[in-house]
């Protein structure tokens, strides 16, 4: 069960933190990490968060240049920009329920040096700036390997939970 979730936004001037804002959010939908997609849809309780990212409609080719923007290592990694490439599609990761016959339950692999704390951060196509996936795991063995839920899985999750509006800006957000 979830009550409220806190999203913490930090603002820095160079290396110096100059502000910290806590934004409350509610969990609208989620899927279990062991039997689902390791995704959650949050609704902020403030109007200061704006739409702005677009999810890719197709899977990127192996070797596509990408970048990650997020917070590897948590607050100390705030607003990191890291470049990498798409390495593989459909990797099964221990702990996720997946089968070879259902590629929607597998993750994409990236050559992207991120660390713990990066989970939930988007991976953007370097040329189109569309999101190809959300980081959910980093390799425990090789520091330059990250795993992400691909947009095909995110779109499937949105459809299954009646929240396609969250991944397609052409669909109006419900008033509720």
């Amino acid at each position: 069960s979830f009550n409220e979730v806190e999203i913490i936004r930090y603002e820095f001037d160079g290396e110096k933190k100059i502000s910290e804002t806590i934004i409350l959010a509610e969990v609208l939908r989620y899927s279990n990490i062991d039997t689902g997609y390791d995704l959650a849809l949050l609704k902020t309780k403030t109007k200061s968060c704006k739409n702005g990212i677009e999810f890719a409609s197709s899977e990127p080719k192996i070797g596509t240049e990408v970048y990650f923007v997020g917070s590897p290592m948590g607050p100390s990694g705030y607003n990191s920009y890291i470049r990498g490439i798409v390495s593989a599609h459909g990797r099964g990761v221990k702990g996720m329920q997946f089968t070879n016959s259902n590629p929607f339950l597998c993750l994409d692999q990236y050559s992207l040096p991120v660390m713990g704390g990066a989970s939930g951060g988007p991976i953007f196509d370097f040329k189109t700036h569309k999101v190809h996936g959300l980081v959910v795991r980093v390799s425990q063995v090789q520091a330059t390997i990250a795993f992400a839920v691909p947009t095909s899985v995110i779109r499937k999750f949105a459809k299954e939970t009646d929240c396609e509006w969250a991944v397609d800006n052409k669909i109006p957000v419900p008033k509720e």
Side-chain angles (χ1 to χ4, degrees):
S1 67
F2 301 96
N3 291 320
E4 290 184 331
V5 176
E6 291 183 351
I7 301 169
I8 303 173
R9 180 185 295 170
Y10 299 99
E11 187 175 343
F12 286 84
D13 183 9
E15 296 290 318
K16 184 178 178 186
K17 181 170 77 169
I18 58 173
S19 73
E20 177 177 311
T21 306
I22 297 175
I23 301 167
L24 296 178
E26 64 179 296
V27 178
L28 296 180
R29 310 278 195 282
Y30 75 96
S31 77
N32 182 303
I33 190 171
D34 294 318
T35 59
Y37 306 120
D38 198 10
L39 294 171
L41 175 63
L42 307 178
K43 178 184 178 192
T44 61
K45 296 187 177 204
T46 179
K47 303 213 186 306
S48 68
C49 293
K50 299 183 179 174
N51 297 335
I53 63 170
E54 188 176 343
F55 288 88
S57 58
S58 61
E59 144 180 308
K61 292 183 174 150
I62 303 299
T64 297
E65 192 171 6
V66 295
Y67 63 97
F68 165 83
V69 177
S71 301
M73 301 180 299
S76 64
Y78 171 79
N79 210 21
S80 293
Y81 172 91
I82 301 168
R83 289 172 75 162
I85 62 167
V86 179
S87 300
H89 297 295
R91 295 283 195 219
V93 176
K94 188 175 182 181
M96 300 277 293
Q97 298 295 320
F98 65 92
T99 64
N100 290 335
S101 62
N102 188 349
F104 289 110
L105 298 178
C106 293
L107 305 175
D108 284 350
Q109 178 183 323
Y110 292 84
S111 295
L112 197 63
V114 298
M115 298 176 176
S119 292
I123 296 176
F124 294 90
D125 186 293
F126 194 77
K127 291 182 181 170
T128 67
H129 309 292
K130 293 181 180 178
V131 173
H132 281 302
L134 299 175
V135 172
V136 291
R137 302 265 169 92
V138 294
S139 172
Q140 301 296 323
V141 180
Q142 180 64 36
T144 59
I145 296 175
F147 298 97
V149 176
T151 54
S152 58
V153 172
I154 296 167
R155 288 181 185 282
K156 183 176 191 240
F157 170 71
K159 186 173 186 165
E160 289 174 354
T161 58
D162 296 320
C163 59
E164 288 178 279
W165 51 268
V167 295
D168 186 343
N169 57 13
K170 294 178 187 111
I171 299 173
V173 178
K175 294 189 192 279
E176 301 174 1

